[in-house]
Amino acid sequence: MAESASFVNAQNSTTSGNNMSGFVAQSQSDMWCQSSTSSNNGSHGYYANGGSMDASSSTSTSNGVFGFFATRGGELGCNSCKSTSNTNAGYAATLSGVIDITVSNASSNKSHGYMCTDTGSISGNAAISDSNTGNGFYSYNGGNINTQNSTAKNNTLYGFYAENMSIIQNGGYTSTSNTAGDQSPSTGSGPTYIGNNNALITTSNSVIP
C-alpha cells in the first residue's frame, strides 16, 4: 500500500487472499504495479483512493467488490488490463476518479463490465466488455465514459447504458448479443440520443469535454 504522498514500486507482483484490497494507492501517493495479478481479495483488486496507480497489463480476478476502482480523485491506468469474475463491476470510477481503459477487457463480472458514477470518468479506445451480468458500459449520475472503437457483447443487460444526466461517447462501437439491447437511450436519429433522465449517448467520434 502507498499512502501519505509516498511511492511504491510493485511491478510484476502477485497479491491474493487479503481481507481488503490487493493493491492500494491513496492520499496523493503513487504506485507502479504493472504486469501484476490481484485475486480473491475481500474488497478490490486495485484501489486508487486519491492516489495514482499504473496497473498496465495487470489482471484482477474474483475479488469481493471491484476489479479496478478509482475514487476521490484517484487515477488508475489500466491499459491492456483484464478484469474477470469479480463480485461487482470489472472497472469502476466515482467521485472524480479517473480510469484509462485502453485495450482492456472486462468479462464474466457479476455486475457491469465498466461503471462510471458521480463525476467519475472512464476513457480509452478498443476496450471489450463481454459476458458480464450487468451492462457492458454503464454511466450513471453525472458519470462520463469516452470510449472509441470499443465492443460490448453477450452482457445480461445493455451493451451501453447511460442514465441520470450522465454521458457515454462510443464512436465506432460494436454492440451485439446483449440481452436487453444494444444501447439506451436509443431514442432519436443519431448520432446523439437523449433519455433516461437527461442522459446522453453519442455515437460520433467527436469528444465532449
Side-chain angles (χ1 to χ4, degrees):
M1 182 173 69
E3 61 180 343
S4 301
S6 63
F7 170 75
V8 172
N9 187 341
Q11 297 178 77
N12 302 296
S13 297
T14 298
T15 181
S16 181
N18 297 288
N19 287 333
M20 299 300 288
S21 299
F23 295 89
V24 180
Q26 58 187 21
S27 304
Q28 299 181 338
S29 60
D30 293 286
M31 176 178 283
W32 289 352
C33 51
Q34 301 96 322
S35 303
S36 60
T37 301
S38 187
S39 64
N40 298 295
N41 298 292
S43 190
H44 318 298
Y46 298 80
Y47 182 33
N49 179 19
S52 179
M53 179 182 295
D54 185 352
S56 300
S57 302
S58 294
T59 300
S60 189
T61 305
S62 301
N63 295 288
V65 188
F66 300 122
F68 297 86
F69 182 36
T71 188
R72 296 183 176 90
E75 299 179 356
L76 188 48
C78 296
N79 192 308
S80 303
C81 286
K82 295 181 179 180
S83 189
T84 62
S85 302
N86 297 288
T87 301
N88 207 302
Y91 303 79
T94 186
L95 300 175
S96 300
V98 177
I99 302 180
D100 174 10
I101 60 167
T102 301
V103 202
S104 65
N105 181 283
S107 63
S108 302
N109 295 289
K110 296 178 182 178
S111 183
H112 314 293
Y114 300 85
M115 182 176 74
C116 188
T117 73
D118 300 292
T119 70
S121 178
I122 289 176
S123 63
N125 298 338
I128 297 174
S129 188
D130 183 10
S131 302
N132 300 288
T133 301
N135 298 293
F137 295 82
Y138 176 55
S139 186
Y140 171 74
N141 204 28
N144 189 335
I145 295 177
N146 179 6
T147 178
Q148 309 296 307
N149 303 310
S150 291
T151 299
K153 59 182 180 179
N154 306 314
N155 297 289
T156 300
L157 296 178
Y158 288 92
F160 297 84
Y161 189 87
E163 63 177 326
N164 197 21
M165 297 182 288
S166 62
I167 296 172
I168 294 179
Q169 303 167 75
N170 60 348
Y173 77 100
T174 298
S175 187
T176 183
S177 300
N178 300 291
T179 302
D182 290 340
Q183 70 176 48
S184 179
S186 58
T187 300
S189 58
T192 299
Y193 305 88
I194 299 174
N196 301 338
N197 193 23
N198 295 315
L200 181 149
I201 289 181
T202 178
T203 58
S204 70
N205 285 312
S206 61
V207 175
I208 300 172

